């Protein structure tokens, strides 16, 4: 699993999961998050809205997070027949 570049707790933006090497289209997707390192009792609070599908990419808006916590994101995408998963880490550090 790779990590995205660290974000500050005040930053809000979208992260992307690229399924172009596995799927030619995505019909549905879900994004979940847990803490990988550190403590956050409500890690799902970093998710801001529902994931958005654009072709073979899933975008998820994120916000907040706690200083010195690394979050593990899991995106499951399907084309209606096959299901693929991408995981990605996100460290949060106050700048």
């Amino acid at each position: 699993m790779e990590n995205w570049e660290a974000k500050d707790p005040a930053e809000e933006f979208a992260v992307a999961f690229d399924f172009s090497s596995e799927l030619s289209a995505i019909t549905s997707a879900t994004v979940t998050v847990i803490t990988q390192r550190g403590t956050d009792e409500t890690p799902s609070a970093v998710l801001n809205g529902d994931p958005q599908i654009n072709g073979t990419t899933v975008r998820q808006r994120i916000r907040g997070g706690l200083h010195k916590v690394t979050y593990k994101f899991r995106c499951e995408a399907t084309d209606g027949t096959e299901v693929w998963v991408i995981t990605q880490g996100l460290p949060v550090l106050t700048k």
Side-chain angles (χ1 to χ4, degrees), residues 15 19 22 25 27 31 42 55 61-62 66 74 79 85-86 94:
V15 294
F19 289 91
E22 291 88 11
T27 56
V31 177
T42 57
R61 293 207 47 87
I62 61 171
L66 300 179
R74 176 184 169 95
D79 63 0
V85 175
I86 294 176
T94 302

Side-chain angles (χ1 to χ4, degrees), residues 17-83:
F17 302 90
D18 181 5
F19 289 91
S20 61
S21 62
E22 291 88 11
L23 297 167
S24 59
I26 297 172
T27 56
S28 67
T30 58
V31 177
T32 56
V33 62
I34 61 171
T35 53
Q36 181 181 10
R37 183 175 302 134
T39 303
D40 184 344
E41 297 297 321
T42 57
S44 62
V46 300
L47 300 176
N48 187 7
D50 294 327
Q52 303 298 309
I53 299 167
N54 185 4
T56 57
T57 301
V58 177
R59 295 177 61 82
Q60 173 67 57
R61 293 207 47 87
I62 61 171
R63 63 179 171 205
L66 300 179
H67 177 64
K68 292 190 177 180
V69 173
T70 299
Y71 297 87
K72 179 181 175 184
F73 290 79
R74 176 184 169 95
C75 181
E76 293 183 26
T78 183
D79 63 0
T81 305
E82 298 181 350
V83 177

